[in-house]
Amino acid sequence: MLPNRSGHFGPFGGRFVPETLMPALHELEEAYRRLKRDSAFRKELNWYLREYAGRPTPLYPAKRLSEALGGHLKIYLKREDLLHTGAHKINNTLGQVLLAKRMGKRRIIAETGAGQHGVATATAAALLGLECVVYMGAKDTVRQAMNVFRMELLGAKVVPVYSGTQTLKDAINEAIRDWVTNVETTFYVIGSVVGPHPYPMMVRDFQSVIGRETRRQILKLEGRLPDMVIACVGGGSNAMGMFYPFVRDQVVKLVGVEAAGEGLDSDKHSATLSVGEPGVLHGMMTYLLQDKVGQIKGAHSIAPGLDYPGVGPEHAFLKEVGRADYVAVDDEEALSAFRLLSETEGIIPALESAHAVAYIVKIADRLPKGSIVVVNLSGRGDKDVAAVKEYLDSRSEK
Amino acid sequence: MNKTSGAQKVRKAIETANQEGRAALIPYICAWDPDIETTRGLLWALAEAGASVVELGFPFSDPLADGPTIQAATQRALRHQPSLEAYLEFVASLYDEGYPLPIVIMGYYNPFYRYGLKRFVEEAQAAGLCGAIIPDLPLEEARPWLRESKRRGLASIMLAAPTTPPERLRRIAEASTGFLYYVSVAGITGARDRLPEDLVLRLDLAREVSPVPVAVGFGIAKPEQVRMLAPHAEAIVVGSALVKIVEKEGRKSPRTIKNFLQNLVSAAERR
């Protein structure tokens, strides 16, 4: 069972944080291990997931998409986009905020990039009546002004972060600084399978509901396991949640799709596992986008949620041992997939999820007839419609 | 090869100050802020003002234990695209000039990891660097680093915090060489008006269990604070207060820094 007791997945993971936080991480780990086995806690979480968030989500056979790609595949979409707040993020925030409440913490903090995790955290905090502060890169607060307003509507305070690149990685730094300062009263809700142990494990566990449902649903629908499961990877929480229940099923090929942005040789991408190198950031040993000296580089993707120069340590491990493959598709491929899915299925995917769709578009021809493929549709695209329009307009002007 | 080790030099510098009846002063500045020649001038000014050991920061893109003052210094320094190689060359050049104080590097783990721990400690020893403080490397993750740094006699200065339970504090102190860095408050670096009321008590407890000298740092900026803490710690670290002067005065800061630190050094006398 991974991680091991010290929070390592092979050489990855761990707890590279200031000493002030170590006792808090021990406390959190202990509380989590206890509540994980507590049937009342699990029952409460499941109740909220069902009655509030809208689980289980459908595993939908995308027939017209399959036809458009040659008709030889059975492509299923795991519809996390149908959840409350529009993405898988709520699975995790409900779990962590419930945990915070059980631990007697009064104040919730979170980081957010595009704002999806911030909104999901503010939602859970409003639902459970806790104070909520969200750190967001100053540049992102401008790019994602609507999400800032959403969080404020939900009663959260949004703090713009002006340091460093003024994006997600700096928002995480600032959230950690807040946590170091207010560690007694505050619970830090991390939005992905990243950060110091026990976060990568805990977020994976909360997101694993995706893979567990999928496994049960596909067995019922097809009587067998899928040949391939595809999910996009930024920090990697939707992918880890989807992969984890299939890790022991060696027949199921696991594919994580990173953002190649404007190209892997362009320096404007977020393909951490594809071209990054191991190092330490945000409390974990993992693959990072960094320069030769070890300074962390900025990341880029048309999908704001993939825009992160690190990746969950368990993904680094799955890559290292060869259990999962990590590939990258670029902005253009993601955009075409965004349109294709909208036109063939009437589903506008989040730009993040469009990367996963783009990969099946890319390799459909190479897969044998009758292959069953599950694509994790981690979020819906309403949030991206304006940005996509702007992008397409600016391109047609050129 | 087997001359006095870096860790011994650091410890001895602190003990010398203590024997002279004061707590040792350990100033922090960030290398390359605003440029490396100013850093050189600042280091000499700190030596002339009576510092015992110098903490010389290596800038990192994501300084998550630091407050706004040191973050800003880091940003200024990063414009020069510093490398650890250049850092060690700089340290070696200072010792060629006869620089009198032990220098320890303060830096986040990733650049060291990327450089290679073994390569770093070998070259650090050759350059005359005396030790390292790595704020995002807690005891549990420090084993590879401790093994390499001890092999080369570098001071591996570990941090303890107000949240650290007593038994853990003892283990951290025992793993430390040179000195133990006791973080005064739960929080990030930066000058503060007030220090926690129980700090003195907690320092006394830390000194009871620590086999190495205890330095207290984070938030210390004023002579009154130094005066209050001097009897309760072997050494006192001052960082952001100095960095603020560098921010304001840039290349002209060494003179002001010297006066500022002299005041703190005299406040550190245990009367």
Side-chain angles (χ1 to χ4, degrees), chain A residues 71-88:
Chain A
H72 62 303
L73 304 176
K74 282 188 174 175
I75 301 171
Y76 284 89
L77 304 174
K78 181 59 174 166
R79 299 292 309 275
E80 294 298 294
D81 60 315
L82 293 176
L83 287 171
H84 182 42
T85 69
H88 70 292

Side-chain angles (χ1 to χ4, degrees), chain A residues 88-89 92-93 96 110-113 116-118 121 168 172 188-207 232-241 282 284 305-306 308 310-315:
Chain A
H88 70 292
K89 294 287 183 191
N92 170 47
T93 59
Q96 286 198 51
E111 83 293 343
T112 198
Q116 294 307 107
H117 172 61
T121 305
L168 175 60
I172 296 178
Y188 179 18
V189 176
I190 294 187
S192 190
V193 286
V194 301
H197 179 65
Y199 283 101
M201 167 181 82
M202 188 166 75
V203 177
R204 172 199 74 196
D205 291 351
F206 286 138
Q207 291 294 2
C232 65
V233 177
S237 70
N238 90 80
M240 209 56 238
H282 296 151
M284 59 181 166
L306 301 182
Y308 179 58
V311 67
E314 194 162 8
H315 285 298

Side-chain angles (χ1 to χ4, degrees), chain A residues 26-331:
Chain A
H26 288 137
E27 181 199 357
L28 173 59
E29 185 187 355
E30 201 186 304
Y32 174 64
R33 286 193 191 279
R34 195 177 62 239
L35 284 171
K36 198 167 114 172
R37 290 189 299 263
D38 179 316
S39 61
F41 177 79
R42 279 164 41 187
K43 221 168 144 188
E44 191 180 8
L45 176 57
N46 287 335
W47 186 87
Y48 280 113
L49 287 173
R50 190 176 64 240
E51 303 298 331
Y52 182 76
R55 301 215 72 92
T57 58
L59 184 66
Y60 178 74
K63 292 208 176 102
R64 294 216 341 119
L65 175 68
S66 304
E67 272 163 34
L69 299 181
H72 62 303
L73 304 176
K74 282 188 174 175
I75 301 171
Y76 284 89
L77 304 174
K78 181 59 174 166
R79 299 292 309 275
E80 294 298 294
D81 60 315
L82 293 176
L83 287 171
H84 182 42
T85 69
H88 70 292
K89 294 287 183 191
I90 194 82
N91 299 329
N92 170 47
T93 59
L94 281 173
Q96 286 198 51
V97 175
L98 267 177
L99 178 60
K101 198 161 183 179
R102 291 288 190 102
M103 288 173 74
K105 304 285 180 184
R106 299 184 296 279
R107 182 170 173 269
I108 297 293
I109 58 170
E111 83 293 343
T112 198
Q116 294 307 107
H117 172 61
V119 168
T121 305
T123 299
L127 174 69
L128 295 164
L130 297 178
E131 182 193 344
C132 179
V133 176
V134 180
Y135 289 95
M136 189 169 184
K139 280 188 191 159
D140 290 331
T141 59
V142 176
R143 288 191 290 210
Q144 305 287 337
M146 283 315 285
N147 270 340
V148 173
F149 183 60
R150 257 181 211 118
M151 288 183 266
E152 286 168 353
L153 275 178
L154 293 160
K157 185 179 157 205
V158 179
V159 181
V161 176
Y162 291 94
S163 58
T165 59
Q166 305 190 11
T167 61
L168 175 60
K169 81 175 175 72
D170 308 285
I172 296 178
N173 293 335
E174 204 57 30
I176 293 175
R177 291 182 189 118
D178 179 313
W179 199 31
V180 172
T181 308
N182 302 297
V183 62
E184 297 287 333
T185 57
T186 298
F187 188 104
Y188 179 18
V189 176
I190 294 187
S192 190
V193 286
V194 301
H197 179 65
Y199 283 101
M201 167 181 82
M202 188 166 75
V203 177
R204 172 199 74 196
D205 291 351
F206 286 138
Q207 291 294 2
S208 289
V209 64
I210 303 172
R212 280 198 308 275
E213 279 177 14
T214 301
R215 201 173 182 284
R216 202 162 53 228
Q217 289 164 322
I218 198 78
L219 286 173
K220 196 168 169 202
L221 288 163
E222 292 286 345
R224 71 172 179 95
L225 291 168
D227 298 291
M228 183 183 281
V229 164
I230 304 174
C232 65
V233 177
S237 70
N238 90 80
M240 209 56 238
M242 179 55 105
F243 291 176
Y244 190 61
F246 290 106
V247 163
R248 288 180 191 182
D249 302 316
Q250 295 292 339
V251 295
V252 181
K253 198 166 155 64
L254 307 174
V255 183
V257 185
E258 296 190 302
E262 295 177 12
L264 292 184
D265 47 8
S266 72
D267 233 22
K268 290 193 110 185
H269 61 76
S270 308
T272 313
L273 288 163
S274 305
V275 296
E277 288 175 81
V280 171
L281 177 71
H282 296 151
M284 59 181 166
M285 172 83 67
T286 188
Y287 279 79
L288 302 174
L289 299 180
Q290 55 181 322
D291 67 14
K292 61 181 193 308
V293 177
Q295 308 291 355
I296 308 305
K297 292 205 242 178
H300 165 83
S301 166
I302 193 169
L306 301 182
D307 195 341
Y308 179 58
V311 67
E314 194 162 8
H315 285 298
F317 176 75
L318 291 177
K319 174 193 162 80
E320 199 87 343
V321 299
R323 177 61 191 98
D325 290 333
Y326 294 90
V327 298
V329 307
D330 65 24
D331 288 350

Side-chain angles (χ1 to χ4, degrees), chain A residues 15 19-20 177 280 290 295, chain B residues 61 63 110 141 163-164 168:
Chain A
R15 275 180 289 222
E19 168 63 20
T20 305
R177 291 182 189 118
V280 171
Q290 55 181 322
Q295 308 291 355
Chain B
S61 53
N110 194 52
E141 304 291 350
T163 51
T164 308
R168 181 176 170 81

Side-chain angles (χ1 to χ4, degrees), chain B residues 38-213:
Chain B
T38 306
T39 303
R40 187 184 302 275
L42 284 167
L43 286 169
W44 278 103
L46 295 170
E48 287 159 17
S52 296
V53 176
V54 179
E55 203 185 301
L56 183 60
F58 180 75
F60 179 53
S61 53
D62 295 80
L64 54 73
D66 285 305
T69 305
I70 293 179
Q71 285 176 46
T74 299
Q75 290 295 324
R76 292 191 294 273
L78 282 173
R79 285 189 216 129
H80 300 279
Q81 299 187 306
S83 66
L84 282 173
E85 251 155 336
Y87 180 102
L88 292 175
E89 267 170 38
F90 173 68
V91 168
S93 76
L94 275 163
Y95 286 124
D96 286 345
E97 293 167 13
Y99 192 70
L101 303 183
I103 299 172
V104 300
I105 186 170
M106 136 80 208
Y108 291 83
Y109 190 50
N110 194 52
F112 297 107
Y113 177 77
R114 184 124 174 103
Y115 200 76
L117 301 183
K118 188 160 184 286
R119 176 182 165 207
F120 178 77
V121 296
E122 280 170 18
E123 296 178 10
Q125 188 190 32
L129 185 75
C130 291
I133 304 170
I134 309 177
D136 57 346
L137 195 66
L139 192 58
E140 283 80 351
E141 304 291 350
R143 207 156 293 161
W145 164 255
L146 291 174
R147 195 173 49 233
E148 293 301 337
S149 68
K150 280 181 182 160
R151 193 173 290 164
R152 295 285 162 173
L154 293 187
S156 41
I157 297 146
M158 307 291 290
L159 294 100
T163 51
T164 308
E167 169 54 28
R168 181 176 170 81
L169 179 74
R170 199 178 51 77
R171 284 191 290 129
I172 292 171
E174 282 168 0
S176 300
T177 51
F179 62 90
L180 170 71
Y181 192 137
Y182 193 89
V183 175
S184 66
V185 291
I188 50 180
T189 59
R192 285 168 175 82
D193 284 337
R194 255 207 246 159
L195 294 169
E197 307 217 328
D198 58 347
L199 176 58
V200 162
L201 244 165
R202 285 188 286 105
L203 277 173
D204 291 345
L205 288 172
R207 288 168 79 200
E208 257 172 51
V209 298
S210 177
V212 290

